Amino acid sequence: MTHILAIDQGTTSSRAIIFDGDMKIVAQAQEEFTQHFPKSGWVEHEPDDLWTTVAGTCRAALERAGLKGEDIAAIGITNQRETTVVWDKETGKPVHNAIVWQDRRTSEYCKELRDGGHEPMFTERTGLLCDPYFSGTKLRWILENVEGVKARAEAGELLFGTVDSYIIWKLTGSARHVTDATNAARTLLYDIKKGRWSTTICEMFGIPMGMLPEVLDCAADFGMARADLFGIEIPILGVAGDQQAATVGQACFEPGMLKSTYGTGCFALLNTGDAPVTSENRLLTTIAYQFDGKPTYALEGSIFIAGAVVQWLRDGLKIIREASETQPLADKADAGQDVILVPAFTGLGAPYWDADCRGAIYGLTRGTGPEEFAKAALESVGYQTRDLLEAMTADWSGSDGGENVLRVDGGMTASDWAMQFLSDIIGAQVDRPEVLETTALGAAWLAGMRAGIYPDQAGFAANWALERRFEPGMDEDTRSRKYGAWKKAVAATLSV
């Protein structure tokens, strides 16, 4: 048993990746599933789609690797965070579609909480803001709006979980209802300082505490995957929300280390050590990882639309067929046109937190075409990242003055054009690792370390390898002019 199976359940697809004893990828499988948009600003998944794609890709990856269940030492899980599932504890049947992290249906309720002066309490306890992004108001919506659910929850018939909890519950044949500290920290229900669910917040939302999963460390005994799935029971030993798993996978174990992941959204995390830092710039205080009951904290900035802007070029505008076409298009763009795209398709995340604004494009001319749209789309990710980094710099002075480096990962980092612009606009080095699948690697390392086949933190960090470093080449005048135009465009887009 020298291999680890990493499950990466994402927003648009599920993947299974098998790592060998040297933490090298030997096989993987991926399957997309349908996104549901029942109303403007609403985003849902069918929970059964999440489960069937996870199970199917796990079997496919094992087959491609030529391995069987007895070759797998442990399973690690990483998942889209905040997405909310409620299901019957006896039948396993969900009471409603999963409400996805991007969903904005609880915007008005969040506004009521802010207007009522409650947000400071939420921030103090959870590190989060009163925003529809998080699970708590989504769970409240299901309890209040799906017929009969509130009574069933109060009768102890229903369970709540983020996607990791739901997948573990299915993998273990309903034996375990658990989550890890990083996922719990994204629910708006978990006190990140006291390390427990907040009874005050649950009472405010009308959430029965019995619905909530048990919270474990990131490397812990989460249960045994059923023998009928893989021919043998396999222990689940590592779990972390996707952005925290990427932080682990990038070996950002020291305070001051910073990573940014570019998937559907973009998420930057700054390790702040054993003390939570309260943001003055509407960033989130969260748990980066937790071992032996001791959390390590982080500041996080969340961008809702990163890689999804390329999907919009493909599926919405239909000006590309594949994501890889954006780079050659951007190369051909007219340098004289300053087209700026503010991709607020589902509102803007940090540091603006405006759930009601929507996307806008500025600087269009008669000569604007697919090339300029592609360039503006890629540039929008760099601009938003700079917004996050400037807020982090203002919030945290714990840096020892070491080198200013951003470690990046995720599918969008394969674009050299996008990474060079990112380095140019932030004026700092951007390091792309040899293993771009750092989210899955983080989950695999958590499980493999717990299983005893992978090295400890220090050993894992020593194995981190650079694939390419991007150095800023843009002059300061150009950088300031372009970023100033972005800030002006965002100001014109905000709803307030």
Side-chain angles (χ1 to χ4, degrees):
M1 295 193 296
T2 57
H3 291 74
I4 297 293
L5 171 60
I7 294 170
D8 183 355
Q9 201 303 297
T11 308
T12 59
S13 67
S14 297
R15 297 187 306 159
I17 303 180
I18 296 176
F19 293 83
D20 65 14
D22 296 320
M23 292 183 282
K24 303 295 185 185
I25 294 174
V26 296
Q28 59 183 303
Q30 182 170 357
E31 187 176 347
E32 292 190 1
F33 50 85
T34 302
Q35 309 291 303
H36 300 274
F37 308 99
K39 293 184 181 180
S40 176
W42 292 27
V43 190
E44 296 180 355
H45 294 154
E46 288 193 28
D48 193 52
D49 287 347
L50 305 181
W51 166 242
T52 56
T53 53
V54 163
T57 53
C58 286
R59 294 191 187 101
L62 282 167
E63 185 175 337
R64 290 173 187 176
L67 299 173
K68 295 182 179 179
E70 54 259 36
D71 300 309
I72 303 300
I75 294 172
I77 298 173
T78 183
N79 57 284
Q80 55 167 315
R81 305 172 303 170
E82 297 95 15
T83 296
T84 300
V85 190
V86 177
W87 67 96
D88 186 293
K89 68 190 303 182
E90 296 298 329
T91 67
K93 184 178 179 180
V95 302
H96 189 271
N97 273 351
I99 302 180
V100 180
W101 58 272
Q102 297 163 313
D103 189 282
R104 314 304 286 172
R105 75 186 64 187
T106 63
S107 293
E108 188 58 36
Y109 180 62
C110 290
K111 183 177 184 298
E112 291 175 14
L113 291 173
R114 293 193 299 271
D115 291 347
H118 297 295
E119 188 167 67
M121 182 273 289
F122 281 94
T123 300
E124 168 63 23
R125 298 189 184 203
T126 72
L128 309 178
L129 301 171
C130 292
D131 189 86
Y133 180 24
F134 307 108
S135 312
T137 61
K138 301 179 194 297
L139 173 53
R140 177 187 178 276
W141 187 93
I142 292 174
L143 292 171
E144 297 293 330
N145 291 275
V146 182
E147 186 176 356
V149 163
K150 181 84 173 201
R152 293 177 63 195
E154 291 172 345
E157 298 174 10
L158 303 179
L159 301 176
F160 152 77
T162 43
V163 170
D164 60 304
S165 294
Y166 182 67
I167 296 301
I168 293 168
W169 195 86
K170 297 286 281 187
L171 281 171
T172 62
S174 74
R176 297 299 300 277
H177 181 219
V178 292
T179 189
D180 86 294
T182 69
N183 276 294
R186 310 299 296 190
T187 60
L188 203 65
L189 306 174
Y190 187 73
D191 190 318
I192 62 172
K193 296 174 183 176
K194 295 181 178 177
R196 64 190 186 209
W197 299 112
S198 170
T199 54
T200 301
I201 295 173
C202 288
E203 287 172 2
M204 180 182 291
F205 286 170
I207 295 170
M209 300 287 285
M211 296 183 73
L212 306 179
E214 178 185 359
V215 182
L216 306 177
D217 288 341
C218 296
D221 298 325
F222 290 88
M224 301 292 288
R226 305 179 339 235
D228 62 301
L229 292 171
F230 304 111
I232 188 174
E233 287 190 336
I234 302 174
I236 305 164
L237 298 181
V239 176
D242 51 11
Q243 304 315 316
Q244 284 93 340
T247 303
V248 169
Q250 288 279 35
C252 290
F253 295 133
E254 298 297 326
M257 296 188 74
L258 175 67
K259 76 90 201 176
S260 190
T261 298
Y262 298 90
T264 302
C266 162
F267 304 86
L269 268 77
L270 173 70
N271 185 325
T272 62
D274 58 7
V277 174
T278 301
S279 174
E280 300 296 328
N281 293 280
R282 297 183 68 76
L283 297 178
L284 307 176
T285 305
T286 195
I287 295 174
Y289 48 85
Q290 180 171 302
F291 301 134
D292 300 322
K294 299 176 182 177
T296 293
Y297 296 97
L299 279 174
E300 176 175 334
S302 309
I303 297 168
F304 298 149
I305 301 294
V309 75
V310 176
Q311 292 176 324
W312 174 69
L313 295 179
R314 182 191 68 187
D315 302 334
L317 296 186
K318 302 188 185 301
I319 62 175
I320 59 171
R321 292 186 298 273
E322 302 289 341
S324 59
E325 295 174 27
T326 53
Q327 180 164 321
L329 276 177
D331 279 331
K332 297 175 185 175
D334 179 2
Q337 292 192 48
D338 285 325
V339 178
I340 294 180
L341 167 63
V342 182
F345 303 143
T346 56
L348 282 175
Y352 306 105
W353 294 106
D354 187 337
D356 298 319
C357 70
R358 291 295 177 262
I361 302 174
Y362 300 90
L364 297 178
T365 72
R366 284 287 299 272
T368 303
E371 296 85 357
E372 289 72 34
F373 271 84
K375 179 184 177 185
L378 295 179
E379 286 185 341
S380 73
V381 178
Y383 290 132
Q384 291 179 97
T385 304
R386 177 164 170 178
D387 287 341
L388 299 183
L389 301 189
E390 293 207 342
M392 286 179 172
T393 300
D395 276 331
W396 193 68
S397 57
S399 174
D400 59 3
E403 60 178 344
N404 187 16
V405 178
L406 174 64
R407 289 185 174 182
V408 297
D409 56 83
M412 201 173 187
T413 61
S415 169
D416 289 351
W417 198 101
M419 293 302 99
Q420 183 57 56
F421 180 78
L422 174 60
S423 177
D424 285 341
I425 204 64
I426 68 173
Q429 295 172 180
V430 171
D431 281 1
R432 186 169 65 191
E434 284 188 352
V435 179
L436 288 180
E437 303 294 352
T438 52
T439 302
L441 176 62
W445 175 75
L446 289 169
M449 183 264 293
R450 178 78 177 180
I453 68 170
Y454 287 167
D456 61 11
Q457 282 179 253
F460 179 64
N463 286 331
W464 187 92
L466 176 71
E467 184 267 332
R468 179 171 173 181
R469 170 167 287 176
F470 296 87
E471 303 271 5
M474 184 180 289
D475 65 85
E476 185 56 42
D477 286 346
T478 302
R479 181 182 299 121
S480 296
R481 177 182 59 80
K482 290 179 72 70
Y483 187 59
W486 162 260
K487 297 292 283 185
K488 184 178 179 181
V490 169
T493 305
L494 294 174
S495 65
V496 291

